[in-house]
Amino acid sequence: GYQASDAPMVAAVGRVAGAAAMLVLGLYPLAEPAAHASRWLIWSGCLLTLYWRLRLWRLAGERRIRDDPVMFALKDRHSLVVGAIASVLFAAAA
């Protein structure tokens, strides 16, 4: 299990891993010729996802997320709206 002393390392690794995932997703339209026409949809979804991730990290830093972040996101209206919009953008790009 995690200890309170693990928090800075978990936060750092989580932020870096999330940023790397956004980078890979953002570069995908450049590597896939078929995604050229829908590039802006994917990038818009990336920006929304990045915003959502940064918001969750900020709330976690303020200790407003006490338990599982997935359960928090499933109950948080803001997360649900951003997730729905990003999902529509990604689905439209497919």
Side-chain angles (χ1 to χ4, degrees), residues 2-61:
Y2 290 109
Q3 305 292 324
S5 61
D6 296 329
M9 179 60 109
V10 170
V13 170
R15 287 182 175 113
V16 169
M22 289 297 100
L23 177 64
V24 169
L25 185 59
L27 291 175
Y28 169 74
L30 298 175
E32 181 64 38
H36 177 72
S38 58
R39 184 176 296 169
W40 68 272
L41 291 170
I42 295 173
W43 286 336
S44 298
C46 285
L47 287 175
L48 273 174
T49 306
L50 179 64
Y51 161 75
W52 173 74
R53 285 186 47 263
L54 291 174
R55 178 177 176 268
L56 284 184
W57 280 111
R58 182 181 52 84
L59 292 174

Side-chain angles (χ1 to χ4, degrees), residues 52-86:
W52 173 74
R53 285 186 47 263
L54 291 174
R55 178 177 176 268
L56 284 184
W57 280 111
R58 182 181 52 84
L59 292 174
E62 295 171 355
R63 303 215 184 265
R64 293 174 55 192
I65 299 177
R66 296 276 181 198
D67 294 317
D68 183 2
V70 174
M71 293 307 298
F72 174 84
L74 291 174
K75 296 175 185 176
D76 178 46
R77 178 177 287 205
H78 194 91
S79 293
L80 294 173
V81 170
V82 170
I85 294 170

